[in-house]
Amino acid sequence: MDAAGLGKVILSSLIEGRDVTLHGFDDTPDRYGRQPAFVALIDSAAPVQFEMLTRGEALVSPTGSDPACFQALLAREAAARAARRGIWAGSAALKNAKSTDDILARLGQFTMVEGTVSSARLAGATFYVNFGRRWTRDFAVTIPRRMMPAVEAAGIDLKSLKDKKVRVRGWIEKRGGPRIEVTHVGQIEMIGAARPIPKSDLAATGPEDEGK
């Protein structure tokens, strides 16, 4: 059974046939028409997402607006990654920014990519964080100009990213090479630096969730 199937089995074992409550920050769907929400059993205050992250069966995905919850979710993900639990037992869950074909195999799926930035620049209404010199082939992160102030307010100096190692999470798209568009502050992390507390919160998503 692949990671997607196993994650669904574990989620079903936690909530199937049980009464739950849903907690969302607002009624606004995400860019793919989905309604993000935390799921908690009636007799528990802790979201099921916490348990999924602790087991290493989910990734943290940016959605809401609570910095404290953001830290709690990322801490659980990091602990599972360090302990090599669940999807972190192998290397498939964290993609190398130089492995273009491997990233493209995740087209339309939520993915975490890690690598060293080769260049970072503003071109028109988009800021490009490039991980290779061939824009038609290599992986890149795009940040709309309107998002730049929020990203930099979270402690990430975009213009100084060259030669820095970063971790990015988001939905894989293909625009020449593979791309992730930053729509929430928490999608970019500086590796080896103190983690900033962004203005956006994060929720958990299964590593193989699709549904654009």
Side-chain angles (χ1 to χ4, degrees), residues 45-103:
V48 170
Q49 283 92 332
F50 278 14
E51 180 64 20
M52 294 290 290
L53 288 165
T54 298
R55 295 187 185 197
E57 299 299 345
L59 301 176
V60 175
S61 171
T63 52
S65 59
D66 187 322
C69 192
F70 162 80
Q71 293 290 348
L73 290 164
L74 276 189
R76 283 165 172 78
E77 180 191 86
R81 185 165 63 245
R84 303 183 67 83
R85 291 193 293 266
I87 60 174
W88 306 111
S91 59
L94 184 60
K95 302 301 180 184
N96 187 319
K98 293 295 186 182
S99 301
T100 305
D101 291 339
D102 199 21
I103 298 171

Side-chain angles (χ1 to χ4, degrees), residues 95-163:
K95 302 301 180 184
N96 187 319
K98 293 295 186 182
S99 301
T100 305
D101 291 339
D102 199 21
I103 298 171
L104 280 175
R106 301 275 306 170
L107 190 65
Q109 301 178 62
F110 190 88
T111 304
M112 188 182 295
V113 181
E114 187 174 285
T116 301
V117 177
S118 63
S119 65
R121 63 186 180 86
L122 180 66
T126 304
F127 192 91
Y128 291 88
V129 181
N130 300 304
F131 293 81
R133 296 181 179 179
R134 303 168 299 172
W135 68 269
T136 59
R137 169 70 179 171
D138 294 325
F139 174 67
V141 173
T142 60
I143 306 171
R145 184 193 287 267
R146 67 181 182 277
M147 278 295 304
M148 291 175 60
V151 172
E152 295 192 322
I156 297 177
D157 184 355
L158 293 174
K159 293 181 180 179
S160 69
L161 284 180
K162 186 177 185 298
D163 298 326

Side-chain angles (χ1 to χ4, degrees), residues 163-183:
D163 298 326
K164 300 292 196 317
K165 192 170 184 180
V166 301
R167 184 181 300 127
V168 186
R169 61 188 76 217
W171 298 88
I172 301 299
E173 302 175 347
K174 188 177 188 298
R175 304 176 194 171
R179 301 284 185 268
I180 287 178
E181 181 180 354
V182 171
T183 56

